[in-house]
Every structure is written in structure tokens, then in C-alpha cells.
Amino acid sequence: MYVFLRFLFFFFFKQKTAYEMLRSLVGSEMCIRDSFKSKPYDVAGIVELARQLDPTRLVDTDSGGEANNLHIGDVNDIHSYPYPGDPSPSSTQYGMIGEFGGIGAFVLGKEWKPHSCHTYLAVNTPADEANAYIKMAATIETRVDHVSASVYTQTTDVELECDGFLNYDRSNKFSDKDTAAIKAANQAIIRAASLSR
């Protein structure tokens, strides 16, 4: 499985995670996410049940959580903020940066609650946000030989988290020049992944 998956590189932005969506909308992966600390869950049993319920989907044991360290699902899914981590694939798991980013430029008048925003990496302007993202994308570009997927958090500002590419009212934060540079950075990842075959 790894040999096939290492040649695929999926790049998408986090707006809703798999466990927040309807099963029919999840795509090719099922995410098992819960608080494995609070109860004595049989994580291996839950993974096996998920595989039995739908053997056509890959299973993400615990997206970025502690149960991911059991290495019993189909993905080594790490969350690292703000900078993208470097997950290792294995013969049974592909490597995925399940969440990274959280770069935030707070735009006055565009916040849900003024002066109350949180972010993982605060920057002064939307141009600074674009530049920080482009540097992170360049890091991912160097890892396409072993990272099959990455998820940027996030596409839009939400309530008290202002680290999106769009403001809370869904207006664009970036100039046309910054938007083009972000697009070019994303396309460079895709191009590098196709060349690493």
C-alpha cells in the first residue's frame, strides 16, 4: 500500500474534519477521533470495526492524537503548529501532516469579536501571513517523497480563531499578488509530487 500511496500527494485545507462530516462525504478515509485518555477504549478493536464496516476506506486511527502513536491505522497523521511536521511513512502507513499552519493576521473590522482573536502564529499583515504560508509550503514541497497529504488550518477565520485565508465575513485577506504567490506555492507542491514518482 505504501508504494502506491507515496506517489499520491493530496493537498487540501481544513475547514471541517472527517469526523465532522457525513460518512458519505468523507472521501477515501475514515477518521476515528475521540478522547482516548478519558476511557479505556479498545482502539485496535475500533480500528478493526471501522475496517469491517467499510473495507474500501483507509482508517485514520486518531488524527493527530495519542492513539496515532499505536500505528494500527493506515496513516501516520501528525498535527504540528504552526510549522508543518515531518511524519514518517511505513510499510503499512502513509505519512500525513493532518494539521499545520494557523497563521493569523487580524484585520480590524473583520473579526467576529473585536480584539479577541487567537492564532498559532500571529503576524502583522495579510502580506506577512501569505509570506509565512509560502515558506511553510516550500517546506512541504521538500517532503513530497514521503508525505502524502497535508492539511492547512484553515481556509477561513472562525469565531475567535483568526488564522484563515479569508476573514470571518469570507472576504479575501490577500492582495491579488499574494493570492497568486500562494497559488504558485501550492502548485509547486503538486508539481514536485508528480516529479517524485
Side-chain angles (χ1 to χ4, degrees):
M1 178 176 65
Y2 169 67
V3 173
F4 173 73
L5 287 174
R6 76 178 276 230
F7 297 119
L8 298 177
F9 188 85
F10 302 99
F11 184 82
F12 51 98
F13 293 92
K14 177 186 179 207
Q15 184 59 37
K16 288 192 173 187
T17 53
Y19 59 92
E20 295 169 317
M21 293 193 245
L22 295 173
R23 181 175 171 264
S24 61
L25 300 177
V26 172
S28 63
E29 181 181 292
M30 282 193 293
C31 177
I32 299 169
R33 181 82 184 251
D34 211 326
S35 176
F36 292 111
K37 291 183 199 175
S38 61
K39 296 180 183 176
Y41 289 108
D42 174 11
V43 179
I46 294 170
V47 169
E48 185 54 36
L49 175 62
R51 286 188 169 131
Q52 289 173 9
L53 290 172
D54 190 345
T56 67
R57 294 178 191 251
L58 299 172
V59 178
D60 187 346
T61 303
D62 184 20
S63 179
E66 289 183 24
N68 182 60
N69 296 329
L70 299 173
H71 301 287
I72 56 175
D74 298 306
V75 56
N76 180 16
D77 178 352
I78 64 167
H79 294 188
S80 57
Y81 286 98
Y83 303 99
D86 194 6
S88 298
S90 70
S91 62
T92 60
Q93 293 185 304
Y94 66 91
M96 175 177 174
I97 306 166
E99 291 184 19
F100 78 98
I103 310 163
F106 308 150
V107 179
L108 292 177
K110 299 291 185 175
E111 301 162 300
W112 181 67
K113 184 176 178 185
H115 310 289
S116 299
C117 279
H118 158 78
T119 186
Y120 294 95
L121 178 62
V123 294
N124 294 322
T125 68
D128 293 340
E129 182 176 348
N131 289 330
Y133 173 80
I134 290 164
K135 288 176 184 174
M136 290 180 188
T139 298
I140 294 169
E141 182 182 349
T142 67
R143 298 176 181 164
V144 297
D145 63 326
H146 62 280
V147 173
S148 297
S150 63
V151 182
Y152 178 78
T153 301
Q154 57 200 359
T155 54
T156 62
D157 289 355
V158 295
E159 287 74 39
L160 300 179
E161 197 171 327
C162 298
D163 51 9
F165 278 15
L166 300 175
N167 292 301
Y168 183 74
D169 65 1
R170 305 310 188 248
S171 59
N172 192 353
K173 285 186 181 180
F174 304 117
S175 67
D176 289 345
K177 179 182 173 187
D178 289 337
T179 300
I182 290 168
K183 179 180 178 182
N186 291 340
Q187 289 175 328
I189 295 170
I190 295 165
R191 194 169 38 256
S194 66
L195 294 174
S196 73
R197 295 179 186 203

